[in-house]
Amino acid sequence: MSEPTSPQPTEAAEPADARASWLAAYQTSKLRDVPFETMSGVPLEPVHGDPPYPGQYPFTRGLHAAGYRSRLWTMRMFAGFGTAQDTNARFKELLRAGGTGLSTAFDMPTLMGRDSDSPWSLGEVGRAGVAVDTLADMEDLFAGIDLSGVSTSMTINGPAATLLAMYVVVGENSGVARADLAGTIQNDILKEYQAQKEYIYPPRPSMRIITDMVRFTTAEMPKWHPISISGYHIREAGSTAAQELAFTLANGFAYVEAAIAAGQDVDGFGRRLSFFFNSHVDFFEEIGKFRAARRIWARWMKERYGATDERAMMCRFHTQTAGVSLTAQQPEINIARVALQALAAALGGTQSLHTDSFDEALALPSEKAARIALRTQQIVAHETGVTNVVDPLGGAPYIEWMTDEMERRAEAVFDHLDRLGNGSILEGVYAGIDNGYFVGEIADSAYRFEREVNSGRRIVVGVNDFTDGAEDSGTTLLRIDQSTEDLQRKRLADVKRSRDSVAVDAALARVTDDATDPSINLMPAIIDAVRAYATEEEIADAMRVVFGTHVEKAIV
Amino acid sequence: MSDRHIRVVLAKLGLDGHDRGIKVVARILRDAGMEVIYLGLRQTTDSIVAAAEQEDADVIGLSMHNAGHLTLGPAMLAALREAELDVPVVIGGIVPDADIDELLASGVAAVLGPGAPADEVVTTVRRVVQGE
Amino acid sequence: MNVRSLPVEQLVEMSAAGDRRATGRLLTIVERGGPDADHITELTHAFSSRARVVGITGAPGAGKSTLVARLIAGLVADGEHPAVLAVDPSSPLTGGAILGDRVRMSEVESVAFIRSVATRGHAGGLALAIPGGTRVLAAAGFDPIVIETVGVGQVEVDITAAADTTVVVVTPGMGDAVQANKAGLLEVADVFVVNKADRPGADDTRRDLELMLELSHVTGQEDATYRPPIMMTNSLDGSGVGAVAAAISAHRLHLVESGMLADRHERRARFEVATRIQARLDITVQEALAGDDSMSLIRAVAAGQVAPTTAALSIFPFSPVL
C-alpha cells in the first residue's frame, strides 16, 4: 500500500493552511495517466468541501491526498478450492485476467488445524477452499508464480503461524528472501471467538502466538502485514453495521494493547496493521461506516495509545461484498447487489476489494461467476467516474451525519468494553468473549433481521417479494466431488512416507518445548517443523498439548 | 403430539463454523414452542447419536454450509442405523437443488434450502415428527 | 427399532440393562407426567434413595455448566457413572426452550448420561419430574446424579435443596452473595463455590459469604456440627474444581457419620409426597371451581353480595382455621 508522499500537520490547521498542505501533498502524488473529467469532457476538481482534506488527520475523507487518482484499490479476488494444483490454476487465471493480488481461501480442515486424513475432515477436504496439509501442498499452490512480484493474502487464523511459516519456506526454496515477501495474513483470532468460530486454543495462548508473529514479521518481513483485523465475519454472522465497526476496532485496540504490553513500539507496530470490512447492501450506512472507521482509529491511536507517526493512525482496509446478502433465489440478480456494494466500498475509500460471485449462495464460485465479479469492480473503477474525485460524498449533510452516527454507536460499545475490562479494552474483549457478550449481540441482530424478513417488513427481492422468475435458471455450479478428498489423502500419505520421521519428531518436540516458555518466539521452531514436512495438524497438536482447546458456551 | 413436547437436537456436523443460520433456526423453533437441545459447533456423528439417545430427540436438525452434505448426511444416517435409533434427520443450509433428491433418497427426511422462511422451517419439522 | 412403541415395563428392563434409548424415553414419559409416569415411579421406587444426589445452583452466568462439566469429567476419570439433569427455563411466552448445557460435557457423554430438562412453565410438573427422573437414572445404574438449576424461582431452589448435598455457585462482584442470600440460597447451601475467582472482587465475595454465614450461624441452623466450606474456583483453568469435588464428598461423609443422611432422604421423600398431594389438590380445587354453582358464587363475590370466606366454605368445605 502506498504511503503519504509528504508529512501532514496533525494539529487542526487553519482552513487556508489545510488547503495549502493538501495541495502540496496532492501535487507531489503520482497520478494515474487518465483524464480526470466526465464522460462529456467536463474537467473535475480533485476534491470538494471543507477541511480536513483527504490525507489529513483524522482521515475521515481518506488516507491519501489524491485518493484513487493516484492509485486504484487493489482488486484482490479470494480463491481456493480442491487440491493445491486446482487453486494454482485459478490463481494464474486471475492474474491473467488483471487481478493484482492473490488471496487464498483454505478449506475447513486447514482453517481448523486438521489434516486431510483426520476423521474430523470427512467430507470437508477441498470443499470450501484449498487443502493444505504440508509444505508440499504450499509448494504446489504457488508453483510458477513469482512470489517477489505479487502480494499474497492468506485468510487463516487459528493455525496462521504454520501457514506463514510454510509461505516463508516456499519463498526461500524458490530464491525469494523472507524480507521480500509481501502480503497479509488474517491472523485475527479475537473475531474467531466472536463470530467465525475457527479457533483452536483458548484466547490468551492464541494472543501469545499472534504476538510472536508480530515480533517475527516486524524483525524479518518488513513487507508483511501480520494481522488483518476483520469485521467481515462479524457482519456475516449477523451483526449490524455499527456492531461490525465497533467490535472490529475494539479488537484492533486489543491487539495494540497486547503489542504495547509485549514491549512493541506503537508507531512501528501500528503501521503494519490493516483491516477488513464487509460492504453490505444499505448503501449510505456502509459509506458512513467506512469513513467513521478511519476517524475513530486515527483518534484512538493518537490520543489513547500515543502514536505520533501518522501512518500508525491510518486505518487501511480491504473490503469484501456481503456474501450473506446474496440470495439462492434468482441468483443472477446478485450481480446487481454486488455492484452496489462495490460502489459503496469505492465511495468509502477502500484500499482493496473482493467482489463476491453471484452463485455463492448456492456453491463455491464457478470460474465464470468469479470473472463477472471481477469485471463488476472493474466497471466501478474504470467506467463510473467515481474514482475521479476524492471522497466525492464528503460534506453532504446526510453522509456526514451517518458517519457521526456510526461513530457514536461504536463509542458506546467501547465504553461498555472499557468498563468490562476495568480500563483495558483487551481485558474487556476477553471478558466479552467469556461472558458471551459478542456472540449474544450478534445473534440478537441476526434474529431481528430474520424476523423482519419473515414478517415481510423488510423486502429482500426474489425472496419475500418479486419472486416471479424463481424457477431454476440452469446456473452451472462448481462441484467438488469426493475424489478430491481421496486424492489429497493419498498425497498426504505419500509425503508422510517419504519424510524423515526422526527429524519430524524432533522438530515437533521443540515446538512443544517452546510453547511452554512464553519468552521464546514460536516462529523459528514452527518454520523448522514445516521444513521437515511436519503436517499442519501435527504442529497444532504439538501446541495443543500445552495450550489446551477452546470450547464455546452455547449462546444462541 | 403438541409442539410443547417436540424435542429437536440441532447441530453442526464436522468442522464448518457457520452458525448464523443454526442459531436463527434454534430461536424460530423455540418461538414455535419446541424444546431445542442445542449442540452447536464441531459435533461428530457419535456425539449427535449420544445426544439423540439421551435427550430422546424427536428429530435431528443438521446445518451444513461446507458443501459436504452428500458425504456427511449419509454418514449421519449410517451412524443412527448403527445405534438402532429411529430419529428423522432434517438438513438445512447451502444445499443445491440438484442434491436434494439424492439426500432424500439416502433417507434424509427433509431438506431446507438457503433462506427458507420461518413458517416453512416450523411446518417441516412438525411434518417430519408427525410422519414418523 | 423404535423404543417409543414399547411398554414401560420393557423400557425399565432395557434401561436397567444399559440401553440408553430406553433411559432417554423413560425420562420423557416421567417429564410429561400422567398414568405411564406414575407406573414408572411404581416400578422404580426402590431406587428413591439409592444414588447420591448433588444439587448445583446459582445465578445465570455464574459458570455452573462449566463447573458441572468439570466435576463430571473428574467423576468419570475416577471410574464413576454419573448422570446430569440440567434444568433450564422454558420461554414463558411460547413454552419453547433452548437447552445448551450438553455442549460442555460432550467429552464424557459416552460414560455419563446427560439430560436437558426445560421447566415447561408449570412448577408442579418440574417438582415431580426431577425426583422421577432421578429415580429412573438411579435404576439405570447412574450414581451420583447431579441436578443443575438456575437459582431463581422457588421451585428450582426447592428441587436443588432436596438433594443430599447442595452446592451454591456465586461469582465475584455485583453483589452476587447478597443476591444469593435474598434468593434463599444461603440457607440451603452445603458447599459454596466462588467461581471465576481469578476476577477482581473474589475475596470480597468470600468475606461477604463468611459474614452472612456467621450471622445465620448465630441465629441457629439445623446442623451446628457442620459449617459449609467456601471453595474458590478459577473459570479459566479449572483449578479448584478438585477441591469442590472433595468438599462434596466430605459433606456426604459428614451426613453418613452423623446419621443425617437418613434425614435428608426423608426430607426429599416428604417434598415429593407433598408435591404429589399438592398437585392432586390443585386439580381438585380447579374441578370444584369449574361447576356452575361455583361460578355463580364467584360472581356474587365479585359483585360484593357474598363474602369470599362464605363462598370458599360453600364450594369446598374445610376447617376455617386460615
Side-chain angles (χ1 to χ4, degrees):
Chain A
M1 263 160 243
S2 65
E3 292 169 355
T5 48
S6 67
Q8 308 291 322
T10 56
E11 298 309 316
E14 290 301 310
D17 293 346
R19 184 83 195 173
S21 70
W22 168 80
L23 191 61
Y26 177 78
Q27 285 170 339
T28 53
S29 300
K30 186 177 184 303
L31 302 184
R32 289 186 294 128
D33 186 20
V34 291
F36 297 112
E37 58 185 38
T38 69
M39 262 180 102
S40 327
V42 178
L44 295 170
E45 289 292 319
V47 71
H48 292 263
D50 299 324
Y53 294 104
Q56 294 179 345
Y57 179 89
F59 309 108
T60 315
R61 305 199 60 191
L63 301 179
H64 307 304
Y68 297 135
R69 280 196 175 197
S70 63
R71 184 179 171 179
L72 290 172
W73 60 85
T74 303
M75 299 185 189
R76 194 188 288 284
M77 299 299 284
F78 193 44
F81 63 95
T83 64
Q85 283 111 327
D86 297 332
T87 300
N88 178 262
R90 176 67 69 85
F91 278 170
K92 288 173 174 166
E93 159 68 22
L94 283 167
L95 290 173
R96 263 195 305 274
T100 49
L102 298 176
S103 180
T104 318
F106 296 101
D107 71 357
M108 197 56 74
T110 306
L111 293 170
M112 290 297 298
R114 298 288 179 185
D115 289 342
S116 298
D117 60 359
S118 159
W120 274 106
S121 304
L122 180 70
E124 302 194 58
V125 175
R127 301 272 186 188
V130 60
V132 173
D133 294 313
T134 68
L135 178 61
D137 298 319
M138 205 70 158
E139 287 166 338
D140 289 345
L141 185 58
F142 293 102
I145 296 170
D146 176 11
L147 296 190
S148 67
V150 292
S151 83
T152 299
S153 164
M154 288 191 277
T155 299
I156 193 147
N157 299 277
T162 301
L163 273 291
L164 177 64
M166 287 181 182
Y167 195 73
V168 165
V169 177
V170 169
E172 283 174 0
N173 289 352
S174 66
V176 182
R178 55 182 75 165
D180 294 326
L181 296 173
T184 304
I185 192 152
Q186 192 166 81
N187 203 24
D188 170 14
I189 202 69
L190 293 173
K191 63 93 172 57
E192 297 298 335
Y193 305 107
Q194 297 161 349
Q196 188 168 240
K197 314 297 172 64
E198 290 158 9
Y199 39 69
I200 301 175
Y201 320 106
R204 287 171 202 262
S206 294
M207 283 297 269
R208 179 256 169 116
I209 301 172
I210 288 174
T211 310
D212 285 354
M213 291 172 71
V214 169
R215 282 209 185 101
F216 174 82
T217 54
T218 303
E220 307 204 28
M221 301 178 73
K223 296 182 180 174
W224 200 269
H225 295 278
I227 310 177
S228 169
I229 305 155
S230 305
Y232 184 81
H233 320 85
I234 293 171
R235 191 66 175 284
E236 291 285 299
S239 83
T240 64
Q243 286 167 338
E244 177 197 355
L245 175 68
F247 296 172
T248 309
L249 294 184
N251 290 343
F253 303 148
Y255 293 120
V256 169
E257 290 180 11
I260 291 173
Q264 297 268 308
D265 167 47
V266 66
D267 282 325
F269 167 71
R271 283 197 302 257
R272 309 166 62 74
L273 291 177
S274 63
F275 290 82
F276 173 21
F277 289 112
N278 197 302
S279 190
H280 218 294
V281 78
D282 191 323
F283 194 70
F284 289 104
E285 186 176 55
E286 293 305 293
I287 299 168
K289 178 188 76 182
F290 296 128
R291 298 174 91 249
R294 279 191 297 267
R295 184 156 80 204
I296 295 168
W297 186 252
R299 203 182 55 247
W300 275 65
M301 286 300 279
K302 181 181 178 184
E303 294 179 5
R304 174 135 168 173
Y305 299 116
T308 54
D309 182 340
E310 286 208 333
R311 288 173 299 174
M313 304 174 201
M314 291 180 176
C315 178
R316 288 165 286 266
F317 59 87
H318 170 69
T319 303
Q320 181 171 337
T321 57
V324 76
S325 72
L326 305 181
T327 58
Q329 296 83 351
Q330 304 186 51
E332 295 88 346
I333 66 174
N334 291 323
I335 296 171
R337 292 192 177 98
V338 168
L340 293 168
Q341 295 166 3
L343 182 61
L347 292 170
T350 192
Q351 270 66 53
S352 80
L353 179 63
H354 166 100
T355 31
D356 285 329
S357 301
F358 69 86
D359 53 1
E360 282 184 38
L362 300 166
L364 285 172
S366 65
E367 194 168 316
K368 179 179 177 188
R371 188 169 61 245
I372 290 173
L374 176 60
R375 295 287 176 260
T376 302
Q377 58 171 307
Q378 287 165 336
I379 290 169
V380 173
H382 299 289
E383 294 188 17
T384 64
V386 297
T387 53
N388 285 333
V389 177
V390 194
D391 188 34
L393 297 181
Y398 179 42
I399 209 68
E400 294 299 340
W401 176 86
M402 184 62 87
T403 306
D404 293 347
E405 180 64 18
M406 288 289 117
E407 183 177 12
R408 273 191 292 274
R409 286 167 182 254
E411 289 288 346
V413 172
F414 304 150
D415 280 350
H416 174 74
L417 293 172
D418 212 18
R419 276 197 306 275
L420 209 54
N422 291 310
S424 157
I425 297 285
L426 174 60
E427 290 300 324
V429 168
Y430 282 145
I433 289 168
D434 184 50
N435 72 15
Y437 165 74
F438 297 104
V439 168
E441 291 282 302
I442 292 168
D444 284 348
S445 298
Y447 192 51
R448 187 179 56 86
F449 178 84
E450 295 300 330
R451 286 175 68 108
E452 287 173 4
V453 173
N454 268 305
S455 68
R457 285 205 305 126
R458 178 178 295 279
I459 289 174
V460 179
V461 174
V463 172
N464 61 355
D465 207 347
F466 314 109
T467 52
D468 292 354
E471 58 280 354
D472 187 17
S473 57
T475 304
T476 308
L477 301 177
L478 175 69
R479 309 301 300 256
I480 310 292
D481 60 29
Q482 193 61 25
S483 66
T484 299
E485 190 157 321
D486 301 339
L487 181 64
Q488 181 63 17
R489 285 182 191 210
K490 188 181 167 302
R491 286 167 50 82
L492 177 57
D494 290 346
V495 171
K496 283 184 175 175
R497 231 186 339 268
S498 60
R499 66 187 184 175
D500 174 353
S501 62
V502 176
V504 171
D505 291 346
L508 291 171
R510 191 182 147 209
V511 171
T512 300
D513 282 351
D514 287 4
T516 58
D517 183 348
S519 71
I520 298 178
N521 194 313
L522 278 161
M523 282 306 296
I526 294 173
I527 289 172
D528 284 349
V530 161
R531 214 177 256 133
Y533 290 90
T535 70
E536 195 207 25
E537 182 165 345
E538 289 166 346
I539 295 170
D541 283 342
M543 289 186 274
R544 222 180 321 245
V545 294
V546 178
F547 296 147
T549 54
H550 179 76
V551 178
E552 180 187 74
K553 280 186 213 174
I555 291 162
V556 177
Chain B
M1 182 190 292
S2 81
D3 276 348
R4 184 171 294 274
H5 299 296
I6 291 184
R7 289 170 65 86
V8 188
V9 164
L10 278 188
K12 298 279 297 185
L13 178 54
L15 296 170
D16 170 27
H18 295 92
D19 61 358
R20 174 186 177 138
I22 192 175
K23 287 187 172 189
V24 167
V25 166
R27 291 195 189 195
I28 288 171
L29 297 180
R30 177 199 61 192
D31 290 352
M34 301 185 199
E35 290 177 1
V36 176
I37 294 96
Y38 184 80
L39 304 185
L41 298 171
R42 317 271 140 71
Q43 299 301 312
T44 61
T45 52
D46 285 350
S47 69
I48 294 168
V49 165
E53 281 180 346
Q54 295 174 23
E55 302 289 355
D56 192 27
D58 297 299
V59 56
I60 295 167
L62 300 179
S63 158
M64 299 204 175
H65 294 79
N66 55 7
H69 46 269
L70 291 180
T71 306
L72 294 173
M76 183 73 246
L77 294 168
L80 289 168
R81 272 195 300 275
E82 173 84 4
E84 295 183 52
L85 203 56
D86 190 8
V87 183
V89 174
V90 177
I91 291 179
I94 298 188
V95 177
D97 285 350
D99 293 352
I100 292 177
D101 286 346
E102 187 174 339
L103 283 174
L104 294 178
S106 77
V108 171
V111 177
L112 290 161
D119 51 4
E120 186 187 338
V121 172
V122 172
T123 46
T124 301
V125 170
R126 281 187 190 146
R127 173 172 61 76
V128 163
V129 170
Q130 278 153 7
E132 68 177 7
Chain C
M1 176 176 51
N2 195 336
V3 295
R4 297 191 164 197
S5 52
L6 300 176
V8 292
E9 289 87 350
Q10 195 177 342
L11 287 172
V12 169
E13 274 174 33
M14 289 165 66
S15 175
D19 189 320
R20 291 175 167 235
R21 299 168 303 170
T23 312
R25 187 65 198 158
L26 287 170
L27 290 170
T28 302
I29 299 169
V30 163
E31 227 184 321
R32 268 183 205 160
D36 278 348
D38 289 349
H39 193 184
I40 293 168
T41 294
E42 281 147 22
L43 291 168
T44 57
H45 75 90
F47 290 87
S48 292
S49 299
R50 198 67 64 84
R52 294 161 288 169
V53 179
V54 178
I56 298 188
T57 191
K64 291 180 299 297
S65 326
T66 311
L67 178 68
V68 169
R70 287 185 166 136
L71 285 171
I72 295 292
L75 287 164
V76 168
D78 289 345
E80 307 259 27
H81 291 83
V84 180
L85 292 172
V87 182
D88 274 312
S90 299
S91 158
L93 291 176
T94 66
I98 295 175
L99 310 167
D101 283 337
R102 292 191 74 82
V103 172
R104 286 175 178 270
M105 293 183 246
S106 57
E107 281 173 18
V108 295
E109 68 194 355
S110 60
V111 177
F113 194 103
I114 299 142
R115 176 69 173 223
S116 313
V117 181
T119 54
R120 294 193 176 169
H122 51 106
L126 188 68
L128 286 179
I130 294 297
T134 306
R135 238 182 333 257
V136 164
L137 290 165
F142 294 101
D143 179 24
I145 293 154
V146 175
I147 300 161
E148 180 199 337
T149 65
V150 175
V152 289
Q154 193 56 46
V155 177
E156 278 99 322
V157 173
D158 287 347
I159 287 165
T160 320
D164 300 334
T165 300
T166 301
V167 180
V168 171
V169 185
V170 298
T171 48
M174 308 295 281
D176 233 29
V178 179
Q179 291 303 323
N181 192 15
K182 281 186 187 159
L185 292 175
L186 248 46
E187 288 85 347
V188 304
D190 299 308
V191 174
F192 284 103
V193 174
V194 179
N195 198 16
K196 309 187 183 180
D198 44 295
R199 296 237 182 114
D203 288 334
D204 294 343
T205 303
R206 184 196 187 107
R207 271 195 298 279
D208 287 351
L209 285 173
E210 277 168 357
L211 189 66
M212 285 183 244
L213 277 177
E214 202 63 49
L215 291 170
S216 68
H217 214 61
V218 173
T219 54
Q221 275 204 319
E222 62 166 316
D223 181 2
T225 63
Y226 181 82
R227 189 181 166 90
I230 301 171
M231 316 304 297
M232 310 293 273
T233 54
N234 182 318
S235 57
L236 293 176
D237 61 10
S239 61
V241 174
V244 173
I248 293 170
S249 299
H251 177 255
R252 177 147 192 106
L253 191 63
H254 164 75
L255 290 180
V256 172
E257 288 179 346
S258 66
M260 289 187 65
L261 185 60
D263 294 350
R264 293 278 171 132
H265 290 161
E266 283 167 23
R267 191 167 87 183
R268 188 155 76 228
R270 185 181 300 110
F271 176 64
E272 189 178 358
V273 172
T275 305
R276 285 195 162 269
I277 294 171
Q278 270 162 6
R280 183 56 226 163
L281 280 176
D282 279 348
I283 295 168
T284 308
V285 170
Q286 292 309 321
E287 284 168 355
L289 289 173
D292 287 345
D293 293 350
S294 301
M295 283 308 296
S296 56
L297 267 171
I298 286 166
R299 279 190 211 102
V301 171
Q305 294 156 348
V306 174
T309 42
T310 311
L313 277 174
S314 164
I315 293 170
F316 199 85
F318 54 84
S319 167
V321 176
L322 299 177

